[in-house]
Amino acid sequence: MTDPANSFSVTRWPTEIRLKKAEKALEVDFDDGSTFSFPAELLRVESPSAEVQGHNPDQKKTVSGRRHVGIMEIEPVGNYAIGIKFDDLHDTGIFTWDYLYHLGQVKDKVWLAYLAELEQKGLSRDPN
């Protein structure tokens, strides 16, 4: 199976993308009728950037202190992805359509795993 974060072949296409700055969320509608709402914090801590994901699964970082992170802007990357600039100035992740679709499908599971990892490591969602 290919990694949706690193794939340039697109199987799902967005039909609408809405940045909701006040709610600190990104909403994406897809061509199959699916709609996903992503909290900015989730997108930030699951950024597909090497800074967060590392270069293999053993290098994935646990990003803490991002409870209040917002999205400053989104920019298209070719016709297969968007770049997201967060207000903590992180902006290196390329969010492919397939990655966003996959994350939307598993976001509750990913979120619970993130919260458990923070607790296990004695970290907090709140900034220091």
Side-chain angles (χ1 to χ4, degrees):
M1 181 174 156
T2 60
D3 178 1
N6 296 319
S7 174
F8 293 113
S9 65
V10 176
T11 57
R12 296 288 178 212
W13 290 93
T15 57
E16 188 173 350
I17 300 171
R18 293 175 299 282
L19 174 57
K20 299 196 160 206
K21 285 189 178 186
E23 292 92 345
K24 296 184 178 190
L26 182 72
E27 290 182 354
V28 184
D29 298 342
F30 283 92
D31 58 358
D32 69 346
S34 297
T35 297
F36 301 111
S37 180
F38 300 100
E41 181 182 7
L42 175 66
L43 293 171
R44 174 60 180 90
V45 303
E46 290 298 320
S47 171
S49 68
E51 175 187 328
V52 173
Q53 298 298 327
H55 295 285
N56 66 57
D58 296 337
Q59 295 178 338
K60 186 171 191 269
K61 307 273 189 304
T62 303
V63 180
S64 62
R66 298 301 187 268
R67 180 188 301 266
H68 305 294
V69 74
I71 297 172
M72 294 175 20
E73 61 186 64
I74 58 174
E75 295 182 355
V77 176
N79 64 357
Y80 64 92
I82 55 174
I84 300 176
K85 184 171 187 177
F86 296 92
D87 60 11
D88 67 354
L89 304 183
H90 177 77
D91 65 356
T92 58
I94 296 175
F95 293 79
T96 66
W97 306 139
D98 285 344
Y99 180 73
L100 287 170
Y101 189 88
H102 174 74
L103 185 60
Q105 291 182 309
V106 298
K107 74 176 187 169
D108 292 339
K109 180 180 175 183
V110 169
W111 182 251
L112 291 175
Y114 170 68
L115 294 177
E117 190 173 354
L118 286 176
E119 185 175 340
Q120 177 188 21
K121 294 182 176 182
L123 300 172
S124 173
R125 291 176 57 209
D126 293 312
N128 292 336

